[in-house]
Amino acid sequence: CVVIRLHRSDPVQRRRPRSRPYQSRKIALGAMPMLKFGALAIRTLSKPIANAIKKRAIEHDLFRARCANFAQWWHRVEVRLSVHLTGHTVTKVQPLSEAQAVSAGADILGEGVVFSIAALLLFAENRYSSAKEVIKQAALA
């Protein structure tokens, strides 16, 4: 018999007895918010790292050239794809100026760093939870 309480001050309280597995899950759930908090902190810290990499990319000559070339390529692909999706054909894509290309390349590089760190964290979290599941299955067997 389960009674739904609408208010905390309700004098009638019938509780369903808790089983042991629920209590053990309660302990395991305490670690999960800390893991999520740690992942959020690392992602937050990755943004200044990405900004520092972008700044270095703009200052370093070879890195600047690589970023500009990648940004020009990315611009051509993006324009061709967007025009192709409208049903037209592209004959020539006007290139970005050098300053725009370096800025766009540095932005792409910075976003790639943030994405890579986030993907690494998701991979680590998935691996942690699957290892935990294997241990749980081994304990039940």
Side-chain angles (χ1 to χ4, degrees):
C1 178
V2 176
V3 175
I4 299 173
R5 290 185 343 180
L6 297 177
H7 303 287
R8 287 202 180 272
S9 62
D10 190 2
V12 179
Q13 294 183 9
R14 292 186 211 165
R15 291 186 178 177
R16 189 183 308 173
R18 292 185 178 175
S19 62
R20 279 280 200 225
Y22 179 77
Q23 291 173 349
S24 66
R25 278 187 281 151
K26 189 175 182 181
I27 294 169
L29 289 176
M32 189 57 82
M34 291 304 292
L35 183 67
K36 298 270 188 197
F37 179 72
L40 179 64
I42 291 173
R43 271 188 272 165
T44 302
L45 292 174
S46 69
K47 290 181 183 181
I49 293 170
N51 288 336
I53 290 173
K54 285 195 284 189
K55 185 183 270 188
R56 297 244 177 172
I58 291 171
E59 293 171 358
H60 194 267
D61 291 336
L62 182 63
F63 216 35
R64 181 182 174 100
R66 300 279 186 213
C67 282
N69 288 338
F70 182 73
Q72 292 289 1
W73 174 80
W74 187 264
H75 175 68
R76 283 191 302 270
V77 168
E78 186 179 30
V79 169
R80 284 183 181 158
L81 183 64
S82 64
V83 170
H84 180 71
L85 289 175
T86 61
H88 297 87
T89 57
V90 178
T91 56
K92 185 179 178 185
V93 176
Q94 186 175 6
L96 297 170
S97 68
E98 184 182 351
Q100 288 176 330
V102 170
S103 177
D107 287 341
I108 292 169
L109 180 66
E111 291 300 321
V113 168
V114 172
F115 177 78
S116 299
I117 291 173
L120 183 64
L121 287 173
L122 285 175
F123 176 74
E125 185 177 333
N126 185 19
R127 195 165 165 97
Y128 172 75
S129 62
S130 64
K132 202 171 184 183
E133 187 68 28
V134 168
I135 291 170
K136 186 177 179 181
Q137 292 296 328
L140 291 176

